[in-house]
């Protein structure tokens, strides 16, 4: 219908970008992107007039509109356009254009295909830059040599598509990445934009491959503010963290989900010195809660780590580890190749992270202890008795209280 309405307005509409790529890959597509040669907001209004259940929000100054269907699906409509970059990495100036030029401004050939959706040519592929061949040959290729200079986030997008699809950049694109990194293009980019792209990468289940790729392309100094001090050791740590995450997810299927990206913040940046770590994570503009949780985890992890290289008594160990989040614990578990440390941390994760006391404050009152600070003190002592193994269930807890 969209194609017909567009045609009735004398506009041509095309499916573009990731939607075409995913369609050719037979993959699930997230958002559907449509480009029209004409005014997208006008088309959107016309569609809404014919389908009152559609929700439409238009952005006339960008020439775009978003249609939301009652089922929650979304469709983005944009007017075809070209962008001129007044200076590298600056926001572009936009002008309307035909579909060919619209495709030319895109990142990679596999994302620069369009499919006709107007009635007389429905389904026909428009592929001026041979994206279909690159899809078949599993290749990420930029359209022109300034692509990464104009938009450095595309370097991280290239890695994202490599890892997600199991593709590789062609030699030329990879050379252009190295060249752009050498020219320090990332310095033009805000930390928040850098983090946005990075967070997508950190969410993929390919952390070791990602880390290797970031090393090969000399991107660690950009992301960390300094090179890796000891690449082999760093890599071994990442490999252990991959195993730890897998172990945790297998063992605790019902446990609250740990977020991969939180673990990777701690593993990838956790060895920086305090000032640099703070500076980097601040630049990323993480939400305040995430920032303080990450900083606190790293601090606690460092304190715990050196002490856990030797066996500790259960209560000392508990006090060192209980302030850490699960992501922090998994980072610590992977920090060193040391069996004693690993045994102690995994013991804590399995048996003590989610420690529940056999008695509550109410139970203590029922046992005759008056309300007041004494209850809190007793609960703290009870916790210690449980950690040390003196109390194992409600009965032993009650006996312990009576003594
Ligand atoms: N695009 C680009 N340069 C960027 C970001 C996006 O050229 N820095 C273009 C690409 O053509 C891309 C389209 O805009 O296909 C839509 O971008 P986005 O939704 O971010 O990516 P998708 O390709 O749809 O990928 P995903 O499946 O991850 O959403």
């Amino acid at each position: 219908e969209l194609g017909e309405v567009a045609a009735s307005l004398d506009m041509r509409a095309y499916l573009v970008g990731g939607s075409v790529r995913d369609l050719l890959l037979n993959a699930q597509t997230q958002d559907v992107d449509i480009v029209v040669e004409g005014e997208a907001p006008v088309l959107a209004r016309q569609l809404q007039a014919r389908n009152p259940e559609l929700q439409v929000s238009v952005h006339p100054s960008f020439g775009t509109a978003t249609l939301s269907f009652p089922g929650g699906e979304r469709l983005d409509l944009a007017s075809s356009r070209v962008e001129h970059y007044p200076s590298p990495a600056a926001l572009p100036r936009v002008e309307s254009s035909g579909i060919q030029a619209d495709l030319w401004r895109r990142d990679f050939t596999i994302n620069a295909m369009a499919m006709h959706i107007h009635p007389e040519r429905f389904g026909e592929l428009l592929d001026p830059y041979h994206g279909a061949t690159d899809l078949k040959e599993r290749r990420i290729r930029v359209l022109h040599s300034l692509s990464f200079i104009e938009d450095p986030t595309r370097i991280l997008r290239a890695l994202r598509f490599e890892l997600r699809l199991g593709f590789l950049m062609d030699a030329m694109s990879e050379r252009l990445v190295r060249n752009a990194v050498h020219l320090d293009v990332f310095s033009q980019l805000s930390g928040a934009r850098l983090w946005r792209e990075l967070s997508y990468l950190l969410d993929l289940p390919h952390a070791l491959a990602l880390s290797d790729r970031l090393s090969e392309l000399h991107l660690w100094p950009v992301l960390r503010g300094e090179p890796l001090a000891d690449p082999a050791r760093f890599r071994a740590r990442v490999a252990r963290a991959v195993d730890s995450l897998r172990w945790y997810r297998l063992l605790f299927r019902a446990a609250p989900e740990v977020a991969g990206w939180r673990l990777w913040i701690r593993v990838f940046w956790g060895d920086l010195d305090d000032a640099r770590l703070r500076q980097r994570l601040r630049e990323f503009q993480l939400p305040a809660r995430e920032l303080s949780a990450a900083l606190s985890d790293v601090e606690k992890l460092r304190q715990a780590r050196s002490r856990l290289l030797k066996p500790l008594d259960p209560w000392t160990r508990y006090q060192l580890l209980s302030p850490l989040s699960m992501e922090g614990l998994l980072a610590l578990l992977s920090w060193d190749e040391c069996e004693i440390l690993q045994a102690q941390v995994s013991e804590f994760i399995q048996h003590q992270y989610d420690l529940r006391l056999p008695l509550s404050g109410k139970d203590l009152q029922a046992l005759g202890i008056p309300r007041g600070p004494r209850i809190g003190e007793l609960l703290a002592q009870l916790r210690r008795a449980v950690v040390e193994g003196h109390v194992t269930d409600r009965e032993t807890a009650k006996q312990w209280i009576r003594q």
Side-chain angles (χ1 to χ4, degrees):
E1 181 189 353
L2 201 151
E4 283 166 21
V5 177
S8 75
L9 292 170
D10 212 17
M11 300 179 185
R12 279 170 186 256
Y14 305 84
L15 190 67
V16 290
S19 322
V20 179
R21 177 198 71 221
D22 292 341
L23 199 68
L24 295 182
L25 283 171
N26 267 327
Q28 195 79 4
T29 198
Q30 291 167 0
D31 293 330
V32 176
D33 290 312
I34 304 282
V35 161
V36 289
E37 290 173 322
E39 288 301 318
V42 175
L43 176 58
R45 289 283 176 232
Q46 191 74 23
L47 282 163
Q48 191 186 30
R50 293 173 55 153
N51 302 279
E53 76 284 2
L54 276 181
Q55 280 202 20
V56 174
S57 62
V58 297
H59 314 280
S61 51
F62 294 107
T64 60
T66 303
L67 309 182
S68 310
F69 294 86
E73 301 89 353
R74 276 185 23 179
L75 192 148
D76 286 320
L77 280 180
S79 312
S80 56
R81 58 192 178 160
V82 276
E83 291 160 357
H84 303 282
Y85 290 82
S87 71
L91 288 177
R93 221 176 283 143
V94 179
E95 274 172 32
S96 65
S97 73
I99 184 73
Q100 289 262 354
D102 184 282
L103 295 178
W104 177 247
R105 77 189 167 85
R106 290 169 185 267
D107 51 2
F108 309 117
T109 59
I110 59 166
N111 291 336
M113 294 180 276
M115 203 173 262
H116 289 272
I117 55 174
H118 45 272
E120 71 274 22
R121 298 179 67 179
F122 192 90
E124 222 175 280
L125 189 68
L126 196 74
D127 182 14
Y129 313 113
H130 309 293
T133 309
D134 286 335
L135 260 190
K136 212 176 296 153
E137 295 174 7
R138 311 172 79 77
R139 201 159 42 218
I140 309 292
R141 189 160 61 86
V142 287
L143 302 188
H144 56 81
S145 61
L146 289 179
S147 191
F148 294 126
I149 309 252
E150 287 174 354
D151 181 354
T153 63
R154 287 177 174 169
I155 294 173
L156 299 181
R157 284 176 64 87
L159 296 187
R160 169 146 62 102
F161 290 117
E162 278 195 352
L163 295 168
R164 192 170 97 191
L165 303 173
F167 285 24
L168 267 183
M169 270 184 266
D170 74 314
M172 183 58 160
S173 301
E174 186 159 327
R175 217 163 22 246
L176 293 170
V177 170
R178 290 174 194 278
N179 186 42
V181 173
H182 187 71
L183 291 174
D184 199 19
V185 281
F186 283 98
S187 62
Q188 311 258 354
L189 201 65
S190 76
R193 274 188 76 200
L194 183 60
W195 171 252
R196 217 177 91 88
E197 275 311 314
L198 204 50
S199 65
Y200 296 135
L201 277 171
L202 300 183
D203 258 341
L204 295 175
H206 305 290
L208 188 59
L210 169 62
S211 160
D212 286 346
R213 219 51 192 117
L214 293 172
S215 296
E216 279 166 22
L217 297 171
H218 304 292
L219 283 165
W220 279 123
V222 175
L223 301 181
R224 286 163 42 98
E226 64 183 57
L228 301 177
D230 182 344
R233 189 148 168 245
F234 183 87
R235 185 176 196 279
R237 182 174 296 156
V238 176
R240 284 192 295 269
V242 169
D243 290 341
S244 301
L245 186 59
R246 192 178 305 132
W247 167 81
Y248 176 82
R249 286 182 169 155
L250 270 175
L251 205 61
F252 299 96
R253 284 172 197 271
E257 186 53 32
V258 306
W261 63 268
R262 286 204 188 93
L263 171 61
W264 301 118
I265 288 188
R266 287 146 178 79
V267 172
F268 289 161
W269 285 273
D271 63 325
L272 296 177
D273 73 44
D274 270 345
R276 165 127 307 147
L277 177 69
R278 242 164 235 283
Q279 182 200 352
R280 273 281 75 171
L281 298 190
R282 284 229 176 90
E283 281 165 0
F284 288 157
Q285 294 182 34
L286 302 181
R289 265 188 39 227
E290 295 295 346
L291 175 68
S292 64
L295 292 174
S296 152
D297 266 353
V298 170
E299 186 195 335
K300 301 286 189 273
L301 181 155
R302 287 179 188 161
Q303 288 164 3
R305 176 208 164 209
S306 51
R307 299 190 55 196
L308 287 160
L309 299 173
K310 294 190 298 269
L312 292 179
D313 68 84
W315 182 238
T316 309
R317 187 175 77 197
Y318 183 88
Q319 287 174 295
L320 279 172
L321 295 181
S322 50
L324 283 148
S325 72
M326 184 51 76
E327 288 90 349
L329 288 167
L330 292 174
L332 174 61
L333 179 61
S334 324
W335 208 254
D336 298 278
E337 176 73 73
C338 167
E339 273 180 35
I340 297 172
L341 174 128
Q342 287 162 2
Q344 297 194 92
V345 180
S346 70
E347 163 77 16
F348 176 85
I349 292 176
Q350 292 180 74
H351 302 296
Q352 292 176 335
Y353 176 72
D354 196 17
L355 190 78
R356 296 214 179 114
L357 296 181
L359 298 178
S360 66
K362 277 218 173 67
D363 293 328
L364 294 188
Q365 284 176 42
L367 289 170
I369 294 147
R371 281 174 70 159
R374 181 75 188 128
I375 299 258
E377 284 163 23
L378 272 175
L379 286 174
Q381 288 170 18
L382 180 60
R383 180 173 296 273
R384 178 166 183 170
V386 171
V387 168
E388 290 180 338
H390 309 310
V391 165
T392 51
D393 54 17
R394 279 178 78 82
E395 277 318 303
T396 46
K398 283 182 187 165
Q399 282 167 22
W400 180 85
I401 293 286
R402 286 192 192 106
Q403 279 168 16

